[in-house]
Amino acid sequence: MAQAKNGDTVMVHYTGKLTDGTVFDSSTERDPLQFTIGAGEIIPGFEQAVLGMNTGESKTTKIPVEEAYGSHRPEMVVEVERDQMPPEMEPEVGQQMQIQQPSGQIIPVTITNISDSTVTLDANHPLAGEDLIFDIQLVDITD
């Protein structure tokens, strides 16, 4: 039976959970996730978990913060004056938007706080600072 190794393109079904059991994503109701091991397309801990799995095998793995989306970085949170927001926008906590840096780079952010005069924007990945648990099933190795 084939084992997943570096360079293989694999298809997996997964369910991602926080340590409290909250499910944040799952592929079970859609097509399996396809990626190439070692190509850096997904978080490092997930890639490592799939290495060595056999087709049809299932496992549960805990991925620490450092091998997932990293620590929550306070320097990626910024407070802006409300008048800097688009005038037609009614900001809401949890709302996601994109901001353009002076360099032209587009960065996704989430609104985390709103006051009368300011809006707090967080550019951290929503799962930054979280240990993650994944139920993984290797569906196929396509190489």
Side-chain angles (χ1 to χ4, degrees):
M1 184 168 283
Q3 281 193 329
K5 62 188 181 312
N6 243 354
D8 283 347
T9 298
V10 296
M11 296 175 71
V12 299
H13 271 303
Y14 67 90
T15 297
K17 299 178 273 195
L18 302 177
T19 54
D20 69 2
T22 302
V23 173
F24 62 83
D25 193 16
S26 180
S27 69
T28 56
E29 298 297 317
R30 56 183 191 262
D31 289 337
L33 172 67
Q34 180 174 314
F35 65 94
T36 302
I37 299 175
E41 299 168 1
I42 60 169
I43 59 174
F46 194 96
E47 259 187 359
Q48 288 300 313
V50 174
L51 271 174
M53 286 183 72
N54 296 308
T55 303
E57 184 180 350
S58 296
K59 73 192 287 188
T60 298
T61 189
K62 182 176 181 180
I63 301 175
V65 168
E66 306 79 43
E67 295 175 26
Y69 292 98
S71 297
H72 186 273
R73 296 177 30 208
E75 68 272 17
M76 295 181 70
V77 179
V78 64
E79 196 172 79
V80 298
E81 295 298 321
R82 249 186 127 136
D83 61 11
Q84 291 184 307
M85 301 296 288
E88 70 281 356
M89 182 181 181
E90 278 299 323
E92 295 178 27
V93 172
Q95 186 176 8
Q96 295 185 342
M97 55 186 288
Q98 296 180 340
I99 57 172
Q100 186 169 357
Q101 297 287 80
S103 65
Q105 181 184 8
I106 303 292
I107 297 177
V109 297
T110 303
I111 296 174
T112 57
N113 193 32
I114 301 169
S115 75
D116 289 339
S117 58
T118 63
V119 176
T120 304
L121 305 175
D122 187 345
N124 283 286
H125 188 281
L127 295 172
E130 299 279 357
D131 291 327
L132 307 177
I133 298 169
F134 280 96
D135 298 325
I136 303 170
Q137 178 191 17
L138 180 58
V139 176
D140 197 12
I141 298 172
T142 60
D143 281 347

